[in-house]
Amino acid sequence: MITANELRQKYLKFFESKGHAIIPSAPLVPENDSTVLFTTAGMHPLVPYLMGEKHPMGKRLADVQKCVRTGDIDEVGDPTHHTFFEMLGNWSLGDYFKEESITMSWEFLTSKEWLGLDKNRIAVSVFAGDKDAPFDEGSFEIWKNIGMSESRIAKLPKKNNWWGPAGETGPCGADTEIFYWVGDAEKVPDSFNDDNDLWVEIWNNVFMEYNKKKDGAYEKIAQQNVDTGMGLERILAAVNGFSDNYKTELFWPIIQKIEELTKFKYGEKSDSEHIKDDGQCWVDTRKSMRIVADHIKAAVFMITDGVEPSNTERGYVLRRLIRRAVRQGYKLGIKNNFTAEIAKIVQDLCKETYPEVLNENVLVELQKEENNFRKTLERGLVKIDKYLSNPEGNFFYEKKGDEMGKRQLYFNTDATELIFDLYQTEGFPLEMTLEELKRTGVSFDENKLKERFNELLKKHQDLSRTASAGMFKGGLADTKEETTQLHTVAHLMLAGLRKTLGEHVHQKGSNINGERVRFDFSHPEKMTDEQKQAVEKYVNEAIEAKVDVALEEMSLDEAREKGAEGAFENKYGDVVKVFTIEGFSREICGGPHVKNTGDIKGKFKIKKEESSSAGVRRIKAVLE
Ligand code: SER
């Protein structure tokens, strides 16, 4: 049995031995990019470098990156999909390309010195080619030369074998994917078929040589990059002979805790058999437990990186994850708050690798959200009861009794609006309404009801999509200029804050989009109006002075000696970028920044200053 940590270390050691610099994981919430909600892949924080900017650690990089992907949320519950996962990644920024990349992956997976996986259980796919880019003959030939039989090399279209861009525009390219047979070792099929779930994708090597533009066209970029990603959860399962990621140490203690809190055992019956709980519905305990484990783990990491449950953007994603978990817990018969109990196990499991998960907000936020949601559920149930007990309402109609004279209630499908309203205003899940109806003996046409409900949902989503379209439109490039200006402003503001309030002020977090900068910093009390004005003055003077923003690369020690500010210094590698605005600011940072403070358009204004958490204040500021 190899442990998760041994596997992380092995991976990094292997790529280090191949000349890669090891970089730390970026946070889950992208710091200076408003076009996506979460870091969805290891390549994401590296986009500027894939597009040609020089990375201070060189052209070969490797890391273990925390990722959140909600696109696959409906798949969660099966053995191999997650909303939060760790991605082992290696990159060539215009250095090696297909041959070296594929050869290294093959060596790491199959060499006895590294993972020693059975070569016979491996299959691959390559890009078949289309109007945008040709068949990836290069990868096909490399795999053949390695000894892969042709029947194990699938040629698949863009839908399968193309990766990126992460947003609407940006770097992307054909990929070759590596699959591992998790079924019976004696029954490995001769040929590869991507419809068979027992072939699990473990590694994806993307050959990023295109940029997708706003008009949808693909143009070749200046350098040929490699971006690979291997899900730690899947490869750990494969190496240890599990076909279920939840059986690995990354999840098993969480599942055991859930077993303890419910009356069920994980997989107590065979995969296909469902266990009846309260006589109302069939619960697939294995699926429900997986969802609880996955979602709570994701929630722990999201809260750790500064997300709070809310009704918009990231907060909404977090809220949904917690509520879905509570919902599954409810199905499993857990009546009391439990998410914090499970979160403690997650913290215990992850604290060695990610000490930040011990963040005190984690348990507090989960408790709060779970309490809220339970109240929602109660309110929803009361409303349903009210509908049901009001014969004047149109929620149901009564049919003449059957031959035994029994009362029969039928749900009036026209009243789906009421159910939708419960969902929309109270957050009460449709599934639970249906269960309530069944429990109280109301008959209804489930398909028809769901159909109507979905119509209403679609109508509503179209409305809200129009409202939030501004947020997702465009790619990285669109808001880039404004974001870059505000990024430099953030440096000036931090320097101004330190000058005005004192040296105890350090950055605690930041989030920038094209319109505003949100900035968290350590300071024990509310700022006075005079202090805010002093900071504004400092920043505006720097803008008016038109000072060059100078970039130097140096060792972390050198940067410290030069008095560079950098609350996040441990996030970068040993060689760091230091941005100096002479006379105003010197800070360690990954960039990007304007070339001269004169490029900052507008007047700096603090719009809001408020408490963020204990000892941390938050400023929202803009350029007017
Ligand atoms: N970007 C690719 C992926 O996420 C490879 O790292 O699969």
Side-chain angles (χ1 to χ4, degrees), residues 356-526:
E356 67 268 27
V357 296
L358 293 174
N359 184 314
E360 59 192 20
N361 284 339
V362 169
L363 302 182
V364 177
E365 292 296 341
L366 281 169
Q367 286 281 13
K368 225 164 54 189
E369 185 61 19
E370 188 169 359
N371 279 335
N372 279 342
F373 187 50
R374 283 189 191 277
K375 279 199 206 109
T376 293
L377 292 183
E378 279 159 27
R379 271 201 308 268
L381 293 175
V382 169
K383 262 198 183 172
I384 292 181
D385 266 356
K386 215 166 92 195
Y387 294 151
L388 286 170
S389 58
N390 175 14
E392 305 302 318
N394 62 352
F395 198 62
F396 65 86
Y397 59 92
E398 205 171 334
K399 260 200 185 161
K400 272 255 170 307
D402 57 16
E403 67 277 14
M404 305 296 287
K406 245 170 63 190
R407 221 177 147 216
Q408 284 184 73
L409 297 181
Y410 285 86
F411 176 72
N412 179 358
T413 316
D414 287 341
T416 312
E417 276 82 1
L418 290 175
I419 292 183
F420 184 71
D421 183 59
L422 267 177
Y423 165 83
Q424 186 56 31
T425 55
E426 306 280 3
F428 196 81
L430 171 65
E431 221 183 313
M432 288 187 75
T433 308
L434 300 185
E435 274 164 28
E436 270 311 290
L437 293 182
K438 284 181 199 162
R439 196 180 59 78
T440 46
V442 175
S443 312
F444 58 93
D445 179 340
E446 189 162 337
N447 286 339
K448 207 160 142 201
L449 195 154
K450 282 186 174 160
E451 201 177 291
R452 273 210 64 107
F453 184 92
N454 283 328
E455 276 166 26
L456 292 168
L457 187 65
K458 201 155 167 258
K459 210 160 103 191
H460 179 84
Q461 280 171 342
D462 284 346
L463 288 175
S464 53
R465 204 167 291 138
T466 322
S468 63
M471 149 115 202
F472 295 103
K473 79 164 192 291
L476 288 164
D478 283 338
T479 47
K480 202 167 169 207
E481 212 171 292
E482 289 87 349
T483 308
T484 306
Q485 289 179 26
L486 282 170
H487 198 176
T488 308
V489 162
H491 280 212
L492 293 168
M493 174 164 62
L494 176 58
L497 286 166
R498 285 171 58 82
K499 183 158 174 248
T500 311
L501 304 175
E503 302 272 300
H504 62 278
V505 173
H506 295 288
Q507 178 172 344
K508 287 289 167 200
S510 87
N511 176 281
I512 298 177
N513 64 30
E515 275 141 32
R516 53 113 185 101
V517 46
R518 197 182 76 202
F519 192 83
D520 292 353
F521 58 100
S522 45
H523 185 56
E525 61 202 14
K526 195 169 171 55

Side-chain angles (χ1 to χ4, degrees), residues 40-41 43 69 87 163 204 206 208 227-229:
T40 55
M43 60 79 75
R69 252 180 224 184
M87 193 176 252
W163 209 92
N204 180 14
V206 189
M208 292 197 156
D227 150 31
T228 91

Side-chain angles (χ1 to χ4, degrees), residues 47-67:
V47 168
Y49 309 103
L50 294 164
M51 294 297 285
E53 203 173 297
K54 188 166 169 268
H55 193 285
M57 298 294 283
K59 291 180 170 178
R60 293 176 173 226
L61 307 173
D63 70 2
V64 183
Q65 173 65 47
K66 306 186 271 190
C67 301

Side-chain angles (χ1 to χ4, degrees), residues 255-266 289:
I255 298 286
Q256 283 178 311
K257 182 73 193 177
I258 303 171
E259 286 183 332
E260 194 189 303
L261 293 170
T262 65
K263 51 182 192 286
F264 300 120
K265 278 252 166 277
Y266 181 78
M289 287 187 191

